[in-house]
Amino acid sequence: MSSPEIASLSWGQMKVKGCSTTYKDCKVWPGGSRTWDWRETGTNHSPGVQPADLEEVVQKGVKTLVIGCGMSEALQVPPSTVEYLKKNGIDVVILQTEKAVAEYNALAAGGAKVGGVFHSTC
């Protein structure tokens, strides 16, 4: 299974190729995607992305995980989250969301087992 392309991104809206849903924040992995609902894990801009936010994507067998930390990079990624990924043998790329989507799409197009979590506002 390949990782789906992020078809479009604008403030507060993301579309994944092959999916009819418009996401605000989303998770993607080889073969699927879904909304990233911060309320599930109590995530806020600070301290930011928690291992619990990434667990579902990690379990899909990704080798690289791209984190889009917002259009203005307001979403933080604490060192403990990076350590969690590295312990699981996963490379992590943390970028401003537009750059993160471009990097994710390039990796996906190259056939990488890549996943992502993307914040499409602030």
Side-chain angles (χ1 to χ4, degrees), residues 14-56:
M14 298 183 72
K15 288 200 170 274
V16 175
K17 191 173 185 177
C19 179
S20 61
T21 304
T22 299
Y23 300 113
K24 177 180 174 239
D25 298 323
C26 75
K27 298 179 179 187
V28 290
W29 58 82
S33 66
R34 78 170 184 94
T35 194
W36 177 18
D37 183 350
W38 292 15
R39 292 172 294 193
E40 292 173 0
T41 57
T43 293
N44 288 299
H45 287 106
S46 178
V49 183
Q50 303 300 306
D53 293 308
L54 308 177
E55 195 173 301
E56 176 180 18

Side-chain angles (χ1 to χ4, degrees), residues 36-79:
W36 177 18
D37 183 350
W38 292 15
R39 292 172 294 193
E40 292 173 0
T41 57
T43 293
N44 288 299
H45 287 106
S46 178
V49 183
Q50 303 300 306
D53 293 308
L54 308 177
E55 195 173 301
E56 176 180 18
V57 178
V58 167
Q59 290 174 354
K60 303 293 184 182
V62 300
K63 299 295 179 202
T64 303
L65 193 132
V66 180
I67 300 173
C69 55
M71 299 298 224
S72 304
E73 300 181 88
L75 178 61
Q76 297 177 20
V77 182

